[in-house]
Amino acid sequence: QVQLVESGGGLVQAGDSLGLSCAASGRTFSRYAMGWFRQAPGKEREFVAAISRSAGYSTSYADSVKGRFTISRDNAKNTVYLRMNSLKPEDTAVYYCAARPMGDGTSSYPSEYAYWGQGTQVTVSS
């Protein structure tokens, strides 16, 4: 089992950048593929970005964030990151990191992620 704690959210203006971190407990972090999801008020949780667990670290992104967001991981620090550039008001949401214990590559399906953090609020003002 792994516990996840997100940090780095806040209030920024459109066009600004923000970095999120997700710290994982335990010694098996490297065995998990990781993902970031977000949920805006009144909307369903949606995929943002994912990174594989294996060396080479394949990544995938939602079309809405491609070219603006970057996911990365540091297994020595048990941490996954989400760098967000050129933020837009529509990026406003609670951002969650999640761990996927099975399968190779990346996944955009929330049902494939077994562990979730509590979330961190990102608000982008226009």
Side-chain angles (χ1 to χ4, degrees):
Q1 188 170 351
V2 61
Q3 293 183 326
L4 305 172
V5 179
E6 302 96 335
S7 61
L11 172 63
V12 297
Q13 293 186 332
D16 284 352
S17 297
L18 196 63
L20 303 182
S21 299
C22 173
S25 65
R27 297 178 292 177
T28 60
F29 176 72
S30 61
R31 299 180 185 177
Y32 296 91
M34 301 297 295
W36 285 96
F37 293 78
R38 67 187 182 187
Q39 188 167 18
K43 295 186 177 182
E44 293 186 354
R45 189 169 298 189
E46 65 174 2
F47 169 73
V48 176
I51 187 166
S52 67
R53 60 179 179 173
S54 57
Y57 301 136
S58 60
T59 58
S60 60
Y61 298 91
D63 288 343
S64 59
V65 307
K66 199 171 294 183
R68 299 189 298 123
F69 290 13
T70 302
I71 188 171
S72 61
R73 65 189 297 162
D74 185 338
N75 287 347
K77 295 182 178 180
N78 280 12
T79 302
V80 62
Y81 304 96
L82 186 68
R83 181 65 182 174
M84 305 182 293
N85 296 327
S86 303
L87 282 161
K88 305 175 181 180
E90 51 263 44
D91 294 318
T92 295
V94 176
Y95 283 71
Y96 300 89
C97 71
R100 176 170 159 258
M102 302 292 290
D104 296 321
T106 62
S107 174
S108 62
Y109 297 101
S111 60
E112 295 190 10
Y113 291 80
Y115 306 105
W116 294 80
Q118 297 283 357
T120 185
Q121 176 71 47
V122 173
T123 303
V124 185
S125 63
S126 58

